[in-house]
DNA sequence: ATGATACAAAACAAGCTGTTCTGTATTTGC
DNA sequence: GCAAATACAGAACAGCTTGTTTTGTATCAT
């Protein structure tokens, strides 16, 4: 990709992220992003058709990255103690979040975080399907599988949200324990 | 309250609700609401400072009503078999939703439903505190109480959302069973 | 009946949007 | 290295939305 394109694209993402940390999504004008990114008006519209598409692209880049690394795909950054059986993907995810990779925390904690949480949840579902379906844990229950998957991913997202609202004072290990103690009893039923 | 005020206020709510059923919140202009409600421009701004405040007021009226009736407060409409011990408040709520009181379903199923689900969840928390805290069920667990309350209310909201996404083909009783089988194991721990 | 209140209509400045045009800088292919 | 392609800046634009102001009319409460 053209060096210039990449540069402006990231400048827009950066400006947008910073604005989201202080303002509501609805209250951010395209003009604000243009000013903050210090680019020409034409340039923005050359990259993104509209503000909504910008958000969509940002989310895909963000959560694609997060989920990929959680699934152990190579990404050239330090891999914690993954590989251990007891180390759940969820602990890995929480550590990843704590590291605040790509300023994702600002976005998850900002107003209108529903937008990001929705993407987060959507990507989590895929992850959970892979993680649990193989082991047959989703079959044991009397509940419909998609209800269960939805419940698990929602619960994880809520756990993250709760963690953020408590300023992440708990350790990732502690949060994993909370989450698992709310989820595991159901899988055994 | 003045008869005229009440009339326009409800005309605005009605127009807004109908617009939300077909359009995204962001895509609805104040002008659209004014046109749909068939009122003067000045009148709208005399009632609501901005579109966001309109939404806020609508939510408060809506969920205040829902939660009040769920808690058994008198509201002059048919009360199902409430009073029975096994009849949970949640079943009552689901039946209430199925009845589609005040077109709340359109709002919960529309785009940008996060706005309403947020209010829904917030009101549910109060309800759950009252419902469970008295019985000491929230103390048994090793989990922080507010984590637990958050988890329960979120799970209920997610249950409703799942129900809606499946076009409410399940009975309220069935949905209550799903919900309780996901929640009760935790309360017994 | 009368003063207060709610509303309608129109006009207004200000701001945002998305596009188009012209001209400049940078990159890529050869 | 040169030339064509590409990315960008700046300005100007029509169209729309917003929130306010002004003037005048209808309805309510007492």
């Amino acid at each position: 990709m053209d060096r210039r394109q990449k540069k402006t694209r990231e400048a827009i993402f950066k400006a947008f992220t910073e604005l989201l940390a202080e303002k509501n999504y609805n209250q951010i004008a395209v003009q604000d992003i243009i000013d903050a990114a210090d680019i020409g008006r034409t340039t923005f519209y050359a990259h993104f058709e509209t503000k909504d598409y910008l958000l969509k692209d940002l989310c895909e880049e963000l959560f694609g990255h997060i989920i990929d690394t959680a699934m152990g795909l190579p990404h050239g950054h330090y891999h914690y103690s993954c590989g251990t059986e007891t180390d759940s993907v969820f602990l890995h995810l929480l550590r990843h979040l704590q590291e605040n990779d790509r300023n994702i925390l600002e976005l998850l904690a900002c107003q209108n975080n529903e937008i990001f949480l929705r993407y987060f949840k959507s990507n989590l579902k895929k992850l959970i399907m892979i993680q649990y379906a193989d082991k047959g844990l989703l079959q044991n229950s009397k509940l419909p599988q998609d209800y269960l998957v939805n419940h698990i991913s929602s619960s994880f997202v809520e756990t993250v949200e709760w963690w953020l609202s408590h300023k992440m004072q708990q350790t990732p290990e502690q949060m994993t324990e909370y989450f698992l103690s709310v989820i595991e009893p159901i899988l055994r039923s």
Side-chain angles (χ1 to χ4, degrees), chain A:
Chain A
M1 186 192 267
D2 199 315
R3 208 180 302 163
R4 294 168 293 179
Q5 261 189 318
K6 205 170 190 172
K7 209 173 161 187
T8 44
R9 188 180 164 86
E10 288 193 355
I12 292 173
F13 277 156
K14 186 169 176 288
F16 189 43
T17 303
E18 285 169 2
L19 284 170
L20 274 168
E22 57 175 276
K23 271 192 202 176
N24 196 292
Y25 174 75
N26 304 325
Q27 290 167 344
I28 297 172
V30 176
Q31 191 61 51
D32 294 334
I33 304 170
I34 289 168
D35 292 342
D38 194 32
I39 54 168
R41 183 166 191 68
T42 335
T43 310
F44 179 88
Y45 285 106
H47 279 262
F48 303 100
E49 201 171 333
T50 163
K51 200 176 71 175
D52 287 334
Y53 280 107
L54 165 59
L55 178 64
K56 187 175 152 287
D57 283 12
L58 178 62
C59 285
E60 281 175 3
E61 213 169 279
L62 232 49
F63 293 105
H65 176 75
I66 291 283
I67 299 294
D68 281 357
T69 58
M71 282 169 57
L73 297 181
H75 257 279
H77 83 292
Y78 179 64
H79 269 206
Y80 312 89
S81 56
C82 69
T84 322
E85 281 295 321
T86 49
D87 248 7
S88 78
V89 194
F90 301 109
L91 177 55
H92 188 87
L93 270 171
L94 292 176
R95 281 177 175 159
H96 206 98
L97 285 174
Q98 199 182 37
E99 208 182 34
N100 196 14
D101 190 28
R102 303 194 174 198
N103 298 316
I104 201 169
L105 284 183
E106 273 78 356
L107 297 179
L108 288 178
C110 78
Q111 300 159 302
N112 293 99
N113 55 3
E114 306 101 7
I115 303 165
F116 303 100
L117 294 174
R118 176 179 289 221
Y119 271 86
F120 193 15
K121 191 180 145 184
S122 165
N123 281 292
L124 267 176
K125 280 188 190 173
K126 300 174 203 161
L127 192 60
I128 288 164
M129 284 295 289
I130 295 166
Q131 186 75 0
Y132 283 143
D134 295 344
K135 302 179 183 171
L137 286 171
L138 300 176
Q139 313 297 335
N140 293 345
S141 177
K142 296 159 193 168
L143 300 168
Q145 176 167 305
D146 64 332
Y147 178 84
L148 198 48
V149 171
N150 188 64
H151 175 71
I152 296 171
S153 68
S154 300
S155 296
F156 186 73
V157 170
E158 288 296 335
T159 300
V160 171
E161 231 183 347
W162 185 88
W163 195 27
L164 287 168
S165 75
H166 285 70
K167 297 179 182 178
M168 303 180 86
Q169 287 174 343
Q170 295 78 9
T171 62
E173 286 79 9
Q174 180 70 69
M175 292 312 300
T176 305
E177 201 184 315
Y178 287 172
F179 172 66
L180 290 181
S181 70
V182 145
I183 290 304
E184 284 190 334
I186 305 161
L187 297 174
R188 291 203 200 97
S189 69

